[in-house]
């Protein structure tokens, strides 16, 4: 979703100035759904997946975060249990941001506090829009929109077809068919556990229909 939030690159780097990143290996569970949010995180390097798990073990991917992103902030600020879990998809460097660090950086730069309020408000708006759109849009639109949200540049998106299927409420067979269609048109390149966007404008055009 970050490509739509329109914030300057590196805006959240001040949170990483005074503390070294914690190194996490791929597969490390950073936080768990329904637990207390004593901090949120700045992703200095690597890739993190957030997801919701149902009581029967079903999983729905919410977002894939790249370096420079914040994650886990909503539950931290509203002081309620976490609504999702987060896991390192690759080796990561993450900086935990607790209330002491938030107060320190907001006092140092009040504009950062205003940016955070804007970020939270826009995130809510985008999530609300996605819920509405997912209910009525065809699978091709949902897959294209999700790929654009995951990648702010034409770089490799590290996710499986199962991840995409869970995120867009479609079957894996449907997602595979749509991705193969996009690949045949030259819009994306498919690889093992990944998708690279080649023709972003074509996907944008599809999403405008």
């Amino acid at each position: 979703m970050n490509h739509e939030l329109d914030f300057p690159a590196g805006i959240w780097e001040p949170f990483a100035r005074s503390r070294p990143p914690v190194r996490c290996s791929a597969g490390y569970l950073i936080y768990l759904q329904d637990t207390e949010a004593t901090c949120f995180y700045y992703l200095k390097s690597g890739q993190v997946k957030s997801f919701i798990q149902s009581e029967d073990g079903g999983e729905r991917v919410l977002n894939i975060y790249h370096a420079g992103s914040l994650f886990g902030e909503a539950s931290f600020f509203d002081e309620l249990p976490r609504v999702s879990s987060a896991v390192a998809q690759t080796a990561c460097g993450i900086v935990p941001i607790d209330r002491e660090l938030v107060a320190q950086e907001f006092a140092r730069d009040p504009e950062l506090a205003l940016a955070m309020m804007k970020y939270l408000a826009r995130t809510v708006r985008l999530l609300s829009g996605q819920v509405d759109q997912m209910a009525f849009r065809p699978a091709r639109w949902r897959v294209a929109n999700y790929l654009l949200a995951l990648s702010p540049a034409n770089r490799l998106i590290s996710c499986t077809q199962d991840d995409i299927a869970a995120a867009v409420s479609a079957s894996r067979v449907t997602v595979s068919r749509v991705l193969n269609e996009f690949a045949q048109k030259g819009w994306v390149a498919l690889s093992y556990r990944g998708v690279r966007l080649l023709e972003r404008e074509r996907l944008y055009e599809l999403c405008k229909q």
Side-chain angles (χ1 to χ4, degrees):
M1 291 181 290
N2 291 340
H3 75 289
E4 295 184 59
L5 291 176
D6 194 27
F7 285 93
I11 187 172
W12 311 121
E13 287 181 1
F15 287 122
R17 277 190 302 216
S18 59
R19 297 183 183 179
V22 176
R23 301 296 175 184
C24 304
S25 58
Y28 178 78
L29 188 62
I30 299 168
Y31 58 76
L32 193 61
Q33 188 174 327
D34 295 325
T35 59
E36 182 183 2
T38 57
C39 65
F40 63 107
Y41 298 89
Y42 172 74
L43 182 56
K44 192 170 180 63
S45 62
Q47 194 166 278
V48 168
K49 176 178 75 174
S50 67
F51 62 95
I52 292 176
Q53 197 162 36
S54 63
E55 292 182 0
D56 62 4
E59 183 179 301
R60 181 181 179 86
V61 179
L62 295 180
N63 208 348
I64 305 293
Y65 297 96
H66 300 279
S69 300
L70 297 179
F71 63 99
E73 73 284 345
S75 296
F76 173 84
F77 283 107
D78 71 12
E79 299 183 331
L80 294 173
R82 295 197 184 277
V83 297
S84 64
S85 301
V87 63
Q89 279 207 305
T90 66
C92 294
I94 60 174
V95 179
I97 305 169
D98 56 23
R99 300 197 183 280
E100 178 184 355
L101 182 55
V102 168
Q104 171 186 308
E105 293 303 328
F106 283 0
R108 190 197 309 267
D109 182 5
E111 290 296 321
L112 189 63
L114 292 176
M116 179 64 71
M117 293 172 65
K118 186 176 181 181
Y119 176 81
L120 292 169
R122 287 201 184 177
T123 300
V124 170
R125 181 186 295 270
L126 287 172
L127 287 173
S128 298
Q130 280 191 341
V131 169
D132 290 341
Q133 292 162 350
M134 288 299 182
F136 303 106
R137 299 285 186 165
R140 293 173 75 250
W141 188 98
R142 301 201 304 267
V143 172
N145 186 68
Y146 185 67
L147 293 176
L148 289 169
L150 288 184
S151 179
N154 283 1
R155 61 187 176 195
L156 181 68
I157 302 168
S158 179
C159 63
T160 67
Q161 293 185 8
D162 286 325
D163 289 337
I164 299 172
V168 304
S169 298
S171 70
R172 187 186 184 284
V173 172
T174 298
V175 168
S176 179
R177 174 178 54 78
V178 170
L179 289 176
N180 283 319
E181 175 194 339
F182 290 171
Q184 289 171 4
K185 292 176 181 292
W187 298 357
V188 304
L190 305 180
S191 61
Y192 177 67
R193 296 181 66 86
V195 181
R196 187 181 298 277
L197 306 193
L198 302 178
E199 295 286 347
R200 296 178 58 82
E201 289 306 316
R202 298 294 187 184
L203 296 173
Y204 277 126
E205 288 171 10
L206 173 60
C207 290
K208 291 177 182 177
Q209 295 176 6

